[in-house]
Amino acid sequence: MWDKQKEVFLPSTPGLGMHVEVKDPEGKVVLSRQYGSEGRFTFTSHTPGDHQICLHSNSTRMALFAGGRLRVHLDIQVGEHANNYPEIAARDKLTELQLRARQLLDQVEQIQKEQDYQRYREERFRLTSESTNQRVLWWSIAQTVILILTGIWQMRHLKSFFEAKKLV
């Protein structure tokens, strides 16, 4: 919380917390959890695209009336960089060679995910390009038909005009 008199952020207040909700691009909830004044969360999503992270403070109502502010620090890590390998090695009692092998496997998995995501984006781009191409084709056909009809109408109108004036 923000202290107005000292103009600094106070250390974590007991009872202060955040509700975190993460949604994938399809709108499905991947993570929904309540945290205390400090916390860390990770999630794995199998859907490529933009994810939505919503943070809700449990002190928002009081802070709005008091004119207070909250400080939130986000450190977003994606892929194999999100793993804490020294912690994994200590927990699973891995040798340095086993840890390095796990890191390489994680990197290969990340490369595969990136390739899948690029294929997905390429497919979406191809579909968008084909749709745009189809619309341009129909628009040009419509313009050509309108131009031909306008030409036929002008020729008939001019013919009837000259016949009425007895010039033809």
Side-chain angles (χ1 to χ4, degrees), residues 11-24:
S12 299
T13 309
L16 184 64
M18 300 288 286
H19 179 267
V20 178
E21 184 175 84
V22 180
K23 294 182 182 178
D24 67 6

Side-chain angles (χ1 to χ4, degrees), residues 85-94:
Y85 287 106
E87 184 180 297
I88 292 172
R91 184 184 67 221
D92 295 343
K93 298 181 179 80
L94 300 176

Side-chain angles (χ1 to χ4, degrees), residues 1-10 67-70:
M1 291 288 277
W2 179 256
D3 186 359
K4 285 186 175 184
Q5 287 86 16
K6 297 178 185 175
E7 293 191 1
V8 294
F9 283 99
L10 299 172
R69 295 185 282 179
L70 296 173

Side-chain angles (χ1 to χ4, degrees), residues 23-90:
K23 294 182 182 178
D24 67 6
E26 297 170 355
K28 296 178 185 169
V29 176
V30 177
L31 173 77
S32 180
R33 193 167 159 201
Q34 185 74 29
Y35 290 92
S37 59
E38 291 185 16
R40 177 181 175 152
F41 67 92
T42 59
F43 67 93
T44 303
S45 176
H46 302 289
T47 307
D50 293 334
H51 287 67
Q52 205 175 48
I53 301 174
C54 297
L55 304 172
H56 305 278
S57 170
N58 63 359
S59 69
T60 305
R61 291 187 192 111
M62 294 180 281
L64 285 176
F65 292 123
R69 295 185 282 179
L70 296 173
R71 178 176 51 182
V72 177
H73 173 77
L74 290 176
D75 182 15
I76 298 176
Q77 297 176 345
V78 179
E80 79 272 2
H81 303 294
N83 294 335
N84 186 355
Y85 287 106
E87 184 180 297
I88 292 172

